[in-house]
Amino acid sequence: MKIFEVENEILEFSAKNITTNRVINIFSEFSFSGSVLAALVWASTAVQAQAQNKPADESAANEIVVTAQKRQERLMDVPVPVTALSGSDLAAQNQTKAQEFYASIPGVNLQFQNNRAQLAIRGITTSPVTGNPVVGFTIDDVPYGSSTGQGGLFGAAPDLDPSDLARIEVLRGPQGTLYGASSMGGLVKYVTIDPDLSGFGGSIGGGVLMIHHGGQTLGHNVHGAVNVPLGETVAVRASAFTRWDPGYIDNVRTGKDGVNASRVSGGHLSMLWKPAASFSLKLEGLYQMRDIDGSANVDSQLGSPYLQTDQIGTGRSRSVNQMYSALIKVDLSGVDLTSLTAFSRNTNYDYLDFTASPLTDFLFPAVYLGVTDFGNVLLQGYDVDKVSHETRLSGRLGSNVDWILGGFYTHEKAKYKIDSHATNPADGSVYGDAIVWRDDLTYDEYAAFGNVTVKLSQQFDVQFGARYSKNNQNMTHREWDQYDPLPAAPYHSVTNPKASGNSFTFQVVPRFRPSPDLSLFYIDWSHIQITQVSSLGTFTYNSNAGMARSQGFEVSFEARPIEGLSLNAWWSYVDATLRESFASDAVYAAKGDRLPYSSKNSARFSFRYEAPVAHNAVTASFGASATYVGERKGEFVPTAQEGPLRQSYPGYVQFDANAGMAFGDWKLEIFVQNLTNRHGVIGGGYYNQTSFNQHWFNYAQPRTIGLNVNYKF
């Protein structure tokens, strides 16, 4: 991969190897036109003038510290494009799930499948959900999910309650040298609130909401947290939450209303021991369970965005996530030592309606003689246990050179299963399982990485980074296929594929800061990974295709024209296309085709106003936003003849609003999401590999109105 960027103040050149046992060196040239240079100079001057007019105390109060580069830095100083979303802001807007906050971030698109949200950053995605992840997720720097598609989660974003989050950091663009291959598209860092040694405190809160077409049932949430110092060197923080959202999709086949209701519950316990200013130990454990009663599929043939025809017994989903970690930080007189060891366990299953897949008509009638009408209910289970460890050293040479050097190890043990139930659509009874898979997979990776940043001036610096990694994978695949009519025995096979490889990733990044509001990027992706599905819609496998390119810009604007009023806007242009055609027995795409789920244009405008009222006893606030998500393309199609049928998702605009009052230790907030009840399409359609039903779509959640109350003590 190669990158050229003027990146939140930077120009960047880097090279990225994404294939096994090969290093690809690619160089590119870029020149500014006079108009672009003029624009950069103007933007830089405007921003500097704005900063000079701000009072010093206001600038300090608004300063945000992030850890995007594995060290604490002010957000404005980070050399990569980062968006930081605070937990309090997410809570105020009731953005509790990834599919709700993603639209706040430039260059980020959503693909919603299997009741899960996968993010594509600047168009980089493997598509569909069975591919190895290319957007990484960490929780307190611990890698979340599996490194392989067979390990499950398929790059899905975690849904952590915002009341327990200090912030979410979204790093746009490849982060491979510091975070590995799973972050080649970008990285989402969830940062929880640390225990506090300074004093006892906590919070408790809750709220209710109503979703349009969700009946008269109110959704609700309850959360609480407490921080307890145990002497001067130890503090413990505990938090818990539960959230229930009513369903708004009705199933005409089963006669059940609100089938897509969901509940999420969890808890987080952390302990900080800081016996000296130069040493700290943090232990934490996190548990979360999510239950979804049914899918959010909508059958477009029924003429309503609230009706579906999913088979009996489909749509149910459960995921249980556990994470335990130990973080040690030591100041070795100018060199910082960080050691992070973690264990995580993710257990998941889904029941999918696969009736529209070719397997149903091709195989089931040959096996179950005399039956003419079938449903295909696919049980998919994926569990992964993961141990990871990272040790790194960081420091500064003089006043102009920062460096990081570290090593990383992970061991994963995953189980993946498929049961293809042939069912009676009338009552959901099961005739039998025509296809059964049981996979056991182990994955080990060792890596070493380093980064050096040389600051040549206030506006210009150069970053050098490299990462070497080696991995070993072993898999036992067991399969039972019923090809002959019952009562014949199924065909049984066992295979033991193995793979190992190594890669070297490097980057040389000259960075110039002409403007903090403009980001230009250029990314070449060689040997892109694609996930292919067999003609029967049963077997999936990963392979490499040709080249793709993502290029574009992100421009943002922030102003405070009067005291208490803030205006924010951004516009993102992403041209993510294939540079080469490719074709196989399962997938076809032509040169110039857009990468799945990436919108060329997206934009957002928001404002927020705060003012004291009632003789300064109350602070009132009001805010609103308009978010535009441009047209996107769905997954690639199987053949050239089907090229014109590739699904297109039309663009849409969503309006949100919120208002609140803060008085003493109390805070009251009301919100409206999707004010105009716009049914924006976020998944499904032709050749979608969740259901294969070209008439089934997923839409943005309907208008949601709610109220939250929070008390701090």
Side-chain angles (χ1 to χ4, degrees), residues 359-689:
L359 174 71
T360 307
D361 292 335
F362 175 82
L363 183 60
F364 287 3
V367 174
Y368 307 102
L369 301 179
V371 181
T372 58
D373 194 13
F374 291 96
N376 186 344
V377 178
L378 184 73
L379 168 60
Q380 184 174 246
Y382 31 97
D383 308 332
V384 60
D385 287 353
K386 181 171 186 172
V387 176
S388 64
H389 175 80
E390 179 173 300
T391 296
R392 63 180 182 267
L393 297 168
S394 62
R396 172 167 291 184
L397 300 175
S399 59
N400 297 323
V401 179
D402 295 325
W403 60 271
I404 294 177
L405 183 66
F408 174 79
Y409 168 73
T410 184
H411 170 74
E412 301 177 19
K413 186 177 181 180
K415 294 181 179 296
Y416 180 64
K417 71 175 183 180
I418 285 178
D419 292 344
S420 183
H421 302 321
T423 66
N424 183 343
D427 58 14
S429 59
V430 178
Y431 297 121
D433 296 332
I435 303 291
V436 174
W437 281 10
R438 294 294 183 269
D439 292 346
D440 293 287
L441 173 72
T442 60
Y443 177 92
D444 292 277
E445 180 182 348
Y446 306 83
F449 59 88
N451 238 45
V452 176
T453 302
V454 181
K455 299 179 180 179
L456 302 176
S457 70
Q458 290 294 321
Q459 288 188 301
F460 183 71
D461 57 36
V462 182
Q463 185 181 69
F464 305 87
R467 185 183 186 96
Y468 174 81
S469 63
K470 179 178 177 60
N471 69 74
N472 296 290
Q473 302 180 56
N474 294 278
M475 180 176 173
T476 299
H477 173 73
R478 299 181 299 277
E479 189 172 330
W480 293 264
D481 301 326
Q482 187 71 53
Y483 295 136
D484 299 319
L486 292 177
Y491 172 78
H492 176 52
S493 64
V494 180
T495 57
N496 298 100
K498 297 181 180 181
S500 63
N502 57 76
S503 66
F504 180 71
T505 304
F506 67 93
Q507 62 179 13
V508 179
V509 187
R511 295 184 302 228
F512 175 63
R513 298 173 172 85
S515 165
D517 300 302
L518 176 64
S519 172
L520 306 179
F521 60 90
Y522 178 97
I523 303 171
D524 267 352
W525 187 3
S526 302
H527 304 282
I528 70 170
Q529 182 195 106
I530 59 170
T531 296
Q532 303 189 51
V533 180
S534 69
S535 58
L536 293 181
T538 307
F539 310 103
T540 63
Y541 54 95
N542 296 335
S543 64
N544 291 98
M547 299 182 67
R549 174 181 294 166
S550 177
Q551 57 187 348
F553 63 84
E554 297 151 357
V555 59
S556 61
F557 166 82
E558 179 180 357
R560 299 176 184 271
I562 61 174
E563 184 177 356
L565 176 63
S566 61
L567 306 175
N568 294 273
W570 58 257
W571 172 30
S572 174
Y573 174 83
V574 178
D575 182 21
T577 59
L578 290 172
R579 294 184 61 195
E580 297 177 342
S581 301
F582 66 85
S584 70
D585 293 337
V587 176
Y588 168 81
K591 179 180 178 180
D593 281 355
R594 197 184 308 174
L595 294 184
Y597 300 99
S598 65
S599 57
K600 267 195 174 182
N601 292 281
S602 57
R604 179 180 172 89
F605 172 78
S606 64
F607 75 88
R608 185 170 181 84
Y609 180 70
E610 292 185 359
V613 296
H615 304 289
N616 294 327
V618 177
T619 299
S621 63
F622 173 74
S625 65
T627 304
Y628 170 70
V629 178
E631 181 188 4
R632 293 134 292 141
K633 286 291 187 179
E635 294 164 16
F636 296 125
V637 293
T639 65
Q641 291 74 22
E642 295 172 271
L645 300 177
R646 187 183 176 195
Q647 190 63 54
S648 292
Y649 303 138
Y652 65 94
V653 178
Q654 179 169 312
F655 296 93
D656 304 313
N658 63 86
M661 293 189 300
F663 42 96
D665 296 321
W666 289 89
K667 182 179 285 187
L668 172 68
E669 295 164 330
I670 59 175
F671 60 87
V672 182
Q673 294 171 308
N674 198 0
L675 181 66
T676 59
N677 201 38
R678 187 67 184 269
H679 305 297
V681 183
I682 58 175
Y686 191 83
Y687 203 63
N688 79 87
Q689 295 177 23

Side-chain angles (χ1 to χ4, degrees), residues 4 6 11 30-41 518 520:
F4 174 82
V6 179
L11 280 107
F30 190 92
S31 61
F32 287 105
S33 66
S35 60
V36 173
L37 282 174
L40 294 178
V41 172
L518 176 64
L520 306 179

Side-chain angles (χ1 to χ4, degrees), residues 19-61:
T19 61
T20 300
N21 293 320
R22 174 153 43 159
V23 176
I24 302 175
N25 295 304
I26 307 176
F27 300 93
S28 62
E29 296 182 359
F30 190 92
S31 61
F32 287 105
S33 66
S35 60
V36 173
L37 282 174
L40 294 178
V41 172
W42 176 87
S44 179
T45 304
V47 171
Q48 291 172 3
Q50 181 181 343
Q52 291 171 357
N53 291 330
K54 284 187 179 181
D57 56 347
E58 180 184 343
S59 297

